[in-house]
Amino acid sequence: MNIELQLKIQDLNARYAQAIDGNKLEAWPDFFTEDGRYRVTTAENFERGLPLGMIYATSRAMLRDRVRSLRDANVYEAQRYRHIIASPLVTPDEGRGARAQTGFLVARIMHTGETTLFATGRYEDHVVFDDGAARFAEKVVILDSRLIDTLLAISAVVPRCRVASGTRGLRQRP
């Protein structure tokens, strides 16, 4: 096992989660290559080989559009998230990177203080090294459950876009 490779991928996932948990969403697309792919799907659909997901983006520009949509268009209750990420299982590939499988849990903390388990699953990542920096060439978020919020602006790992109910919803701003 290449410990240096393992640590680089672990660090990439930690910084990725920290950006989301810290509401630094504008930094989120920078974890991907320019033509990086991002897909959110369920374990059932992944196992059946169904290619499309709840979210599918094929470039960093598409990811930036999701963040803009989240900041400017979606209305939802004030909330925060906390990721718990397992150690990745890393397999070097023949090219300039590696494949990694990483389990995750995401807790959602509402403005009232109520904390719930928001999502569980795993990441299937293809990581490449762009001028020495680790980036996702592809990140597939595979959710364990089909039960999700009604609107996902970014993903189960950037889930700040729950539709607010009634008149209590707030437009979340940085």
Side-chain angles (χ1 to χ4, degrees), residues 80-91:
R80 293 187 336 229
Y81 295 87
R82 180 65 55 208
H83 285 69
I84 306 297
I85 301 175
S87 185
L89 298 173
V90 177
T91 306

Side-chain angles (χ1 to χ4, degrees), residues 38-42 52-56 140-141 143 152 154-156:
Y38 180 75
R39 179 168 59 121
V40 178
T41 190
T42 64
L52 295 180
M54 293 169 263
I55 296 173
Y56 188 72
V140 181
V141 179
L143 302 172
L152 291 174
I154 297 179
S155 78

Side-chain angles (χ1 to χ4, degrees), residues 83-152:
H83 285 69
I84 306 297
I85 301 175
S87 185
L89 298 173
V90 177
T91 306
D93 68 13
E94 298 295 322
R96 57 186 178 125
R99 302 277 176 181
Q101 183 182 96
T102 310
F104 70 86
L105 299 168
V106 180
R108 176 171 45 202
I109 304 93
M110 301 306 292
H111 72 280
T112 61
E114 176 188 3
T115 301
T116 59
L117 182 61
F118 181 76
T120 65
R122 71 183 188 274
Y123 302 134
E124 295 277 341
D125 298 326
H126 179 209
V127 176
V128 296
F129 297 93
D130 225 2
D131 293 327
R135 294 195 196 295
F136 299 112
E138 180 177 38
K139 185 172 215 44
V140 181
V141 179
I142 303 167
L143 302 172
D144 290 330
S145 176
R146 289 182 291 144
L147 300 176
I148 58 165
D149 274 344
T150 57
L151 174 64
L152 291 174

